[in-house]
Every structure is written in structure tokens, then in C-alpha cells.
Amino acid sequence: MTAQFRNILLISAASVALVSACGRDEESSAVNTSSTATQEANSEQAKPDAGQTAKINQWFEAQFEADVARSPMTQTFLGRKTNYDKWDNVTEEFEQESFELQMAALKEMRETFSLESLDPSAQLSYRLFEYEAEQEQRNQPFDDHWYVFSNFRGPHSSAPAFLINQHRVDDVEEAEAYIARLEGMKEYLAQNQKNAEAQFERGIYPPKWAYAKMIETSRNIISGAPYDDSEKPSTLFADFNKKIDGLDIEDEQKQALKSRAEQAMINSVKPAYEALIDMFQTQAAQVNNDDGAWKLPDGEAYYANRLEVMTTTNMTAKEVHDLGLSEIDRIHGEMNEIKEQVGFDGTLQEFFVYMREDPDGKFTYPNTEQGRADYLAKATEIIDVMRGRLDELFYTKPKADLVVKKVEPFREKSAGKAFYQRPAPDGSRPGIYYANLYNTANMPIYQMEALAYHEGIPGHHMQLAIMQELENVPSFRRFGGFTAYTEGWGLYSEYIPKEMGFYDDPYSDFGRLAMELWRAARLVVDTGIHDKKWTREEAINYLMENTPNPEGDVVMAIERYIAMPGQATAYKIGMNKILELRRRAEAALGDDFDVRAFHDVVLKDGALPLAILEEQVDAWIAASTAN
């Protein structure tokens, strides 16, 4: 599977926001994004050739479809029902073959098409295809360094989430495909287990404390009927039964399908997870609690690679760390102003403790089912209000719907605070903003607005749904992603409502700043853990001292950063670049600046490395100034 389609799986599975677990470039490009253009500079300038442009766009679609054909799970994410009974092949041999196919495609593109013969849109597609392939070449030495299983993500949690959230059952054939996937889960998880065992032999494994969380998640999957005598159905059995009960078929046929699913769970799912648990226990007995990427083979080079991929820049760990410290100082200053505004008598750190401990009980919903329902209802209301004012910000708006859901119980202890899942391209599945309400104390009310704007509207749903709906753009651009761009837009989207008069409650505005502070602090703790050899506890203490977030939120975040080196640095770096470009446009255009036009420029080409985004905005400024 190429990097492009690994991106689709990761983003769609929404670890996030996850999603987004692969990204790319900022202030100075980490790679030469126009290397071929340099090669072409020695030849005569060629006018765009409509025939060549049409030909390469057809070629891009053929490459996209060839990649999709190798990934049944991507087909399902895209709303297709082909290979609906299969899992992906994740063997090392298959991955190596996918890499070689990607390199062959890059070679073919360079030999077949001249960059300067293409129209501007096709030129951009050419450069992005080249960019991703060259990035994958640089990733190749570290291809096995990204943990197969961790406390935060992995097939042990993503496989059941995939069946629950992606595998629709609209008829008997699709129910049988679900059963086939249950039967195939043993082999799919075994392939992943083999990869993890090979990683372990090479000295690549998460810290000791992470194993208990992986074991707990795995046990949750095989708890309940039909795995034990419990009257409560297991997570997957409950999902399958609900989907079967929704079919318009005879009760006898429903029962037959449920019986087959039950056997598949007992004979395939249960032994697969028992094998994983055995592996986790065996490995846990042999490892220590070293947390950072520095402990891995060539760990320093690996972390530098992750920073390049996630931020799409060539910023060093020191530069990222220093930027974080500077941003924290600035945001602390703005928070002090709000502290004074609300009349709190004490230091900023004492104000953090007050907000965190909530002695008056006004910053959190009750940790009850009603409290969770109230949170979801309020989050939906916030999004609906913003949806009604989008004309003030955008000319282009997404067609896809958006819903708010809580994270499923089986993975809520290990999942992130909130994340977004893309809609199906055919409209059969809406975009989903997931809120983790395992403990409502970790989801304070004063952060609700900023979180809803980030994950929903005008954040991830706005950007990702619009990207999928782009016309006359190759599919690999509509379904790919660059973390710094996507998460930078999400964080920028927390800022936009401030200009519109939202965050009128000073505590809610404090929450907006707390969210931005959180992303600035990530620059410090991520580099602290993976470059400066901070321990888990040192990183936790840093966030507790410098942010108002609840302790549970802090612990879960640090454990996420440990599992995904570099990913957390993309948000603030991406936001800073978008704000920098906006201020540049405002200064150049003055009264002629139209924020709606600016947002269209940022969103019209889909996700981009930050250096290429800068080129696009500068070209728009130049054209607007000339006109």
C-alpha cells in the first residue's frame, strides 16, 4: 500500500485527527517540490497542451484505482462495496511490493509527461504526486519504526471500529460479507502480530506501561456474549445484531446469520485476540519504560524524519521546541488578561488549578449518561449555530452532513479526546465528530466551543468534506492529506469564530486560548520526549504546570505523543503558516481583502505541503493586486 492510501486508512479511521497520521512541509520546504521543474528549465518554455493534461489526469486516476484495488479496506472507506468480505494484506512482502509499484509509477510519470506541457492544475498534481513518492523514499529506512500496536492506536482497536463504523449492512449479502470479515479477522490480526514480533526483534516496541492498556482494549473486545456467559453482548456482537435486526428479512434468516456470526467470533475473533494478549504479555515482561523515539535504532534520524513528514518543513527539533516555548509565553500573557477580567485573585498557575479542579462545579457536565447526552446536544447546537453563519466566511461550503457522536465504550479509555471521521464520498455516511466522554471531567465546558469548531465546522468537516467534493481534481488529491495543513486548518478554525463575536463568555475565550496553548505545549513536550529524553512523568508534569487541562486529559495526551512521534507538532506549525499567509494577504490587499476569497484559495486545491500552499496564496495575492 502506498503512502497515499495508508493516509486514507489512517485519516478515515480517525486516530486524526487522527487521522491523519502522515503529513508533509512549512517555512522552507523539506524537499525540492519542483525538482522536475528544475530539470525542465533548460528546455524551451512549452505552452500547456490540453491533450497532455487530459492524458496525465487519466493516468492519475488509473494509478489511484490500481492502489485502491490493492486495499479492500480503502474501498470500504470510500463507500464502495467491492471486496466487501476482505481485509487488507499487511505482510512485509506486500508492503515492499507496494513501495516498488509507487517508485515505478514515479519513474513512469517523469518519463512520460513534461511538467511544462501541463495546465496549472495538472502541474500541481504532478508536483504533489512527485512530492509524496520522494517523501516515501525518505521514509523507507524507517518503514518499520511506526509501532504496529500501541496504547493509542493499532489494529486491535481499529479493526472492530472499522466493522462498526464503516461496514454497512443493507442486505443479506452485506451481512454475509460482515461474517466473512469476522472469519478473516484471525488472519488479518495474525499478519499484524507477525509484523509486531519482527519489530520487537529489531528493538522497536512501545514502553512497558503501554502494554497494560493494549491488553485491556483487547480484552474488552472479547468480553460479553458469545465469548462468555454474560447476558450483555460483546461490542461486535451487539453491532452485528443491531444491523441484522434492521434488515427486512424473515426472523429465521436473521437468527441463522446471527448464529454464523457467533461461530465466527468464537472461532476467529477470540483466538486472534487471545494470541495478541499473549504476545503483549510476553513482550511486556522484557521491556523497560523508555518512552522516546531516541531509544529506537537510528532514533535521532527517525525523529527528524517524523518532524519533516508531519510538519512538511525541515525545522529541527530544537527549532520546534523553541517555537513552542515562545508561543507559550505569548498565550500565557493573553490568559493573564482574562484572569484579571473575571476577577480571579491569584497567579495564572493558581487559576489553572481552579479551572482544572472546578470547585464550583460549573465547568463540567455530570459524569453520567444524562451528562454525556447533554454534552452531545450542546456540541451539536454549537455546530448548528456556526453552520448558519458560514456565508460570512466562505463562498464554498460542503454538501456532506455532520453528526456528533461519543466514542464507543470499547476504545474510549485509549482513544483521544476528540477526532473527526470523513464522510463517505457518495453521501451514504456523514462526517462524524467523535467526543470522548468516558470521563466528562476531561471535556470541560469552557473548551466546548473551540473543540466543536476544530473537529466540525469550520474545521475538519469543512476542509475535508470540501476536499472530497472537489471537481476536476485527481482522486489522489481528494482523498490524501498532509497533517500540518489539515490540523493547521483545524486550529486556525478555532481562531476564526473569535473575529465573528463568538466566545463572548470570557471563560469560553479562555478555553479557546487553552486549546491553542495545548498545541503550543505539544511542540515542547513532543520534542522533549523524543529528542531531549524526557520521561513520561516529566512531560506530564510540564503540561500540568503550564496548561489548565485536567490530569486525565494530560496523561492521555502524553501517552498519545509517545505512541506517535512528531504528529502533535503539526497543529501549531500549520496554524502559524495559515495566519502568516492571511496577514500577508491583508497587508497587500488592504480594503480589497475578502476573507471568503482567502479561505477559498486555501481550500480550493485540497491538502498541500505548507511551502506549496504559500506559493498558491502568493500567486493569488499577485493576481489580485494586478487586478
Side-chain angles (χ1 to χ4, degrees), residues 206-428:
K208 188 180 187 71
W209 55 262
Y211 283 91
K213 297 177 181 293
M214 294 187 282
I215 290 169
E216 181 181 18
T217 298
S218 298
R219 284 179 173 157
N220 287 343
I221 301 301
I222 54 174
S223 296
Y227 307 111
D228 53 39
D229 296 331
S230 170
E231 294 183 2
K232 182 178 180 181
S234 64
T235 297
L236 281 174
F237 202 35
D239 177 65
F240 185 81
N241 289 346
K242 180 181 178 181
K243 288 173 177 175
I244 295 303
D245 288 339
L247 294 180
D248 185 16
I249 58 177
E250 297 294 329
D251 288 344
E252 183 178 351
Q253 192 172 11
K254 290 181 180 180
Q255 190 54 49
L257 290 168
K258 291 177 182 180
S259 296
R260 288 173 56 195
E262 183 175 347
Q263 288 304 305
M265 291 179 191
I266 292 172
N267 296 324
S268 173
V269 179
K270 184 178 182 181
Y273 276 92
E274 288 174 338
L276 286 182
I277 291 168
D278 286 344
M279 178 186 70
F280 294 151
Q281 291 174 331
T282 299
Q283 291 183 358
Q286 303 176 57
V287 302
N288 59 31
N289 273 323
D290 289 344
D291 296 303
W294 56 265
K295 73 175 183 179
L296 304 177
D298 297 318
E300 183 177 349
Y302 169 59
Y303 185 55
N305 172 266
R306 297 323 296 167
L307 289 179
E308 176 190 326
V309 169
M310 296 299 178
T311 69
T312 70
T313 77
N314 60 2
M315 292 179 71
T316 66
K318 183 180 187 305
E319 289 170 335
V320 172
H321 192 86
D322 290 346
L323 174 62
L325 293 174
S326 174
E327 287 289 272
I328 287 171
D329 285 344
R330 175 185 64 79
I331 298 168
H332 277 176
E334 294 185 39
M335 288 178 141
N336 264 313
E337 294 177 8
I338 292 179
K339 176 180 72 72
E340 298 299 325
Q341 180 183 351
V342 299
F344 183 84
D345 185 17
T347 66
L348 182 61
Q349 280 65 36
E350 288 170 339
F351 191 49
F352 287 169
V353 173
Y354 168 72
M355 299 292 288
R356 182 183 300 136
E357 296 182 352
D358 189 20
D360 302 322
K362 62 181 181 181
F363 298 133
T364 56
Y365 284 100
N367 197 35
T368 62
E369 286 307 306
Q370 184 59 52
R372 296 180 182 92
D374 290 343
Y375 186 102
L376 295 174
K378 182 61 177 178
T380 301
E381 178 187 332
I382 290 170
I383 289 171
D384 286 344
V385 170
M386 175 57 75
R387 184 186 281 113
R389 294 186 58 182
L390 287 180
D391 285 344
E392 300 173 35
L393 295 173
F394 301 96
Y395 288 122
T396 304
K397 293 173 280 295
K399 300 173 185 175
D401 196 11
L402 173 69
V403 298
V404 185
K405 294 177 62 174
K406 67 176 181 177
V407 175
E408 303 90 349
F410 78 88
R411 58 173 177 162
E412 60 186 359
K413 289 185 181 180
S414 59
K417 179 173 184 170
F419 48 91
Y420 173 79
Q421 178 178 286
R422 299 184 187 206
D426 62 0
S428 61

Side-chain angles (χ1 to χ4, degrees), residues 1 38 91 116 163-164 218 244 296 300 320 333 351 357 374 392 396 417 425 446 472 577 583 621 624:
M1 191 191 317
T38 302
T91 62
E116 293 186 359
L163 285 174
I164 292 169
S218 298
I244 295 303
L296 304 177
E300 183 177 349
V320 172
F351 191 49
E357 296 182 352
D374 290 343
E392 300 173 35
T396 304
K417 179 173 184 170
Y446 64 82
N472 303 316
K577 175 56 69 176
R583 289 165 183 153
I621 293 173
S624 299

Side-chain angles (χ1 to χ4, degrees), residues 470-508:
L470 291 175
E471 297 180 356
N472 303 316
V473 171
S475 295
F476 86 90
R477 285 172 55 188
R478 294 194 296 118
F479 299 108
F482 297 96
T483 307
Y485 173 97
T486 299
E487 295 299 351
W489 175 264
L491 186 50
Y492 170 76
S493 296
E494 297 175 20
Y495 167 79
I496 300 172
K498 173 70 173 176
E499 301 176 315
M500 302 170 67
F502 291 98
Y503 304 115
D504 54 345
D505 181 335
Y507 287 108
S508 187

Side-chain angles (χ1 to χ4, degrees), residues 84-87 163 167 169 171-186 237 240 244 253-265 268-269:
Y84 213 44
D85 57 344
K86 295 179 175 62
W87 297 94
L163 285 174
H167 191 113
V169 175
D171 55 38
V172 172
E173 184 179 359
E174 291 167 8
E176 291 176 339
Y178 192 119
I179 295 170
R181 274 180 160 155
L182 290 173
E183 293 169 341
M185 194 178 285
K186 186 175 182 180
F237 202 35
F240 185 81
I244 295 303
Q253 192 172 11
K254 290 181 180 180
Q255 190 54 49
L257 290 168
K258 291 177 182 180
S259 296
R260 288 173 56 195
E262 183 175 347
Q263 288 304 305
M265 291 179 191
S268 173
V269 179

Side-chain angles (χ1 to χ4, degrees), residues 71-73 76 82-88 162 167 177 180-181 184:
S71 174
M73 295 172 70
T76 301
T82 49
N83 294 306
Y84 213 44
D85 57 344
K86 295 179 175 62
W87 297 94
D88 282 359
F162 173 83
H167 191 113
R181 274 180 160 155

Side-chain angles (χ1 to χ4, degrees), residues 196-211:
E197 289 170 341
Q199 272 192 330
F200 189 82
E201 290 300 316
R202 292 190 285 265
I204 301 168
Y205 44 81
K208 188 180 187 71
W209 55 262
Y211 283 91

Side-chain angles (χ1 to χ4, degrees), residues 42 72 136 149 175 187 204 210 229 280 318 345 382 410 420-421 442 548 560 564 593 608-609 616:
N42 296 324
E136 192 65 12
F149 296 96
E187 179 182 1
I204 301 168
D229 296 331
F280 294 151
K318 183 180 187 305
D345 185 17
I382 290 170
F410 78 88
Y420 173 79
Q421 178 178 286
N442 295 334
R560 167 192 163 187
M564 303 173 68
F593 176 80
L608 300 172
Q616 299 298 100

